[in-house]
Amino acid sequence: MTDFVTPPARPRLAIDGDSRSFPVARVFCIGRNYADHAKEMGAKAEAIFFMKPADAVTPDSTIAYPAETADLHHEVELVLALGEGGAIVASGVGVDLTKRDLQARLKEKSAPWEIAKAFRNSAPVGTLRAGPPPASGAIGLSVNGETRQSGDLDQMILAPDALLAELGRFFTLGAGDLVFTGTPAGVGPLKAGDTVKAEIAGLPVLEFSIPEARS
């Protein structure tokens, strides 16, 4: 049987020191996994899950400012890359980009807010590092050289193993899945012309820029 349409290509992420790549299947995200971030958002510190499509993931070093927002926010996160049986095989640095103004309007209506989170290129991820993820260590993000977010991985409410156990109650996790593990406090706006640097101790640095719009 042949395909009725051309199947979409999967995003693929580089693995540090390995000629192979990681093909992305699904993207799971957790919100409110750092108490200080939940507090700054005026929310209860409890884990909530949502998803992004595979095409949200991008390794690109430039990301266009998205449509339908005037308040794009950054959220630096440890990203888990899963293999067969849902085991962690690698990890990396990611940034969850959020249309905060749109999300706020949807929250006021008690409406789902996927369109504020699940847009194309909304999940830049850096080069992955094979092996277990760091259990502790600095996590941070700077914009144009100015520190915006700063925390430690041990501040997570649900550490990676506990997070996967909870997520596994609702989904059968498997090879190609990515899991964003939440963000520390300090989230804030990005604008055209900004350069973002996201870092987690022991993992390859993620850097990208938002080019100025052409006149």
Side-chain angles (χ1 to χ4, degrees):
M1 183 179 295
T2 58
D3 293 318
F4 186 67
V5 298
T6 303
R10 283 193 185 190
R12 292 178 178 272
L13 297 172
I15 302 171
D16 190 34
D18 199 312
S19 61
R20 298 169 295 177
S21 62
F22 183 88
V24 177
R26 298 176 294 179
V27 184
F28 297 95
C29 304
I30 184 172
R32 305 175 189 173
N33 200 28
Y34 287 74
D36 54 356
H37 172 59
K39 183 178 180 180
E40 75 175 348
M41 297 301 294
K44 184 179 179 181
E46 61 180 356
I48 59 169
F49 294 108
F50 61 95
M51 295 181 71
K52 291 182 179 243
D55 72 356
V57 176
T58 178
D60 293 347
S61 59
T62 58
I63 298 173
Y65 196 95
E68 303 300 328
T69 185
D71 194 21
L72 180 70
H73 275 213
H74 57 74
E75 300 182 11
V76 61
E77 309 198 20
L78 171 68
V79 178
L80 311 175
L82 307 186
E84 301 295 337
I88 303 171
V89 295
S91 59
V93 182
V95 173
D96 171 13
L97 295 175
T98 303
K99 298 178 180 180
R100 193 71 75 199
D101 46 356
L102 181 55
Q103 184 187 40
R105 292 198 299 269
L106 292 167
K107 282 182 176 180
E108 289 175 355
K109 302 175 184 177
S110 297
W113 32 263
E114 276 82 0
I115 58 175
K117 287 279 193 179
F119 51 97
R120 187 176 179 85
N121 295 339
S122 63
V125 179
T127 298
L128 301 177
R129 179 154 290 164
S136 61
I139 175 173
L141 180 144
S142 62
V143 179
N144 303 326
E146 177 186 350
T147 299
R148 293 274 191 88
Q149 292 185 262
S150 180
D152 195 289
L153 295 177
D154 64 11
Q155 296 170 333
M156 286 190 207
I157 295 170
L158 291 180
D161 287 344
L163 191 164
L164 293 183
E166 182 67 15
L167 193 58
R169 294 174 53 209
F170 307 100
F171 299 93
T172 301
L173 301 174
D177 289 342
L178 292 178
V179 181
F180 279 62
T181 60
T183 193
V187 302
L190 295 170
K191 64 183 185 303
D194 282 345
T195 296
V196 177
K197 184 175 183 180
E199 300 179 89
I200 293 175
L203 296 177
V205 173
L206 166 63
E207 292 187 78
F208 64 90
S209 60
I210 302 175
E212 295 278 3
R214 294 182 179 179
S215 58

